[in-house]
Amino acid sequence: MDFERARRNMIDSQVRPNRVTDIAVIDAMASVPRELFLPKARQGIAYVDEDIDLGEGRYMLEPMVFARMLQAAEIRPTDAVLDVACASGYSSVVIGRFAAAVVGLESNPDFAAAASKTMIDMNADNAVIVEGALADGYAKQAPYDVIFINGSIEVEPAGLLSQLGEGGRMVAVMKGVNGGAARVWEKHAGSITARTLFDAGVPLLKEFAKTEEFVF
């Protein structure tokens, strides 16, 4: 399979036509080979326009949704980014192409180990993978300018929002009754505000699911 051609087609048919105009995002996605973050047997579907199941509740987000979320995060070359549920590390490498530093957070030890190896193989010197509970974030390197969540959530993660620096942004898909919508949370003067960006349906991260309540 001609992966380079498939990557160009992804940009031309999935990313650019869907209101993604940020050159930094486009260039980063055009330069990172998605197939290297999948098992060899599944590399042929690396550029499909849907979420790719990686197993264990982790997904490689659909290119269009991923690109629009990155654009909404407004990542600057000086920003430090926490990449939550980074799984195989694809999102961390892409973000690292136009951010100052990236901490990829993954709770699954197998994914964390594989992603760390891939970082070394790809010379992603400004990205590091850490293992830990997703909802806890990674306070050691906080505050962050951007927190990016690879999946949908049902509850606002207070632990993550507390690790945003002043002017910081968190981007995720908030799951709702009628599907979901990408949202951005911003911190100004110590207060958090949120706004809806666009409709999006991506798989739920169980770590951010609502807990069942018993009615007596």
Side-chain angles (χ1 to χ4, degrees):
M1 180 174 178
D2 187 343
F3 289 116
E4 186 174 347
R5 181 177 179 180
R7 194 155 54 252
R8 289 198 303 269
N9 288 341
M10 174 191 72
I11 296 298
D12 293 340
S13 64
Q14 299 179 48
V15 176
R16 289 185 185 274
N18 284 288
R19 304 179 187 177
V20 178
T21 58
D22 189 321
I23 297 301
V25 172
I26 292 171
D27 287 349
M29 291 184 66
S31 68
V32 177
R34 281 170 67 94
E35 69 275 8
L36 297 185
F37 298 86
L38 292 171
K40 286 188 176 181
R42 307 198 70 202
Q43 289 182 353
I45 63 170
Y47 297 95
V48 297
D49 57 348
E50 59 185 52
D51 305 304
I52 300 175
D53 190 350
L54 301 175
E56 303 297 328
R58 294 291 183 270
Y59 291 80
M60 184 178 287
L61 297 184
E62 176 186 348
M64 181 272 286
V65 174
F66 179 61
R68 291 190 67 181
M69 289 173 67
L70 285 181
Q71 179 169 265
E74 298 181 350
I75 299 171
R76 300 178 295 257
T78 55
D79 282 349
V81 181
L82 178 65
D83 183 31
V84 180
C86 65
S88 60
Y90 171 74
S91 53
S92 296
V93 172
V94 170
I95 293 169
R97 293 293 171 96
F98 56 103
V102 184
V103 175
L105 177 63
E106 179 50 62
S107 59
N108 183 296
D110 293 333
F111 277 131
S116 293
K117 182 181 183 302
T118 303
M119 294 294 164
I120 296 172
D121 294 343
M122 299 194 69
N123 296 314
D125 298 332
N126 67 335
V128 62
I129 305 298
V130 298
E131 184 184 336
L134 303 187
D136 291 344
Y138 192 65
K140 186 176 180 180
Q141 295 295 329
Y144 300 98
D145 301 295
V146 173
I147 297 177
F148 187 90
I149 302 180
N150 290 276
S152 67
I153 62 178
E154 289 184 324
V155 293
E156 289 190 354
L160 294 181
L161 289 170
S162 70
Q163 294 176 23
L164 276 180
E166 179 63 22
R169 291 85 63 203
M170 184 183 81
V171 181
V173 172
M174 194 77 180
K175 192 173 179 63
V177 176
N178 298 316
R183 303 186 76 189
V184 59
W185 290 258
E186 299 181 22
K187 184 175 183 179
H188 296 288
S191 297
I192 301 290
T193 60
R195 55 188 171 88
T196 298
L197 302 171
F198 57 91
D199 291 339
V202 300
L204 175 68
L205 291 168
K206 64 180 181 180
E207 293 88 345
F208 300 106
K210 288 181 179 179
T211 56
E212 292 186 8
E213 297 182 357
F214 294 96
V215 178
F216 296 96

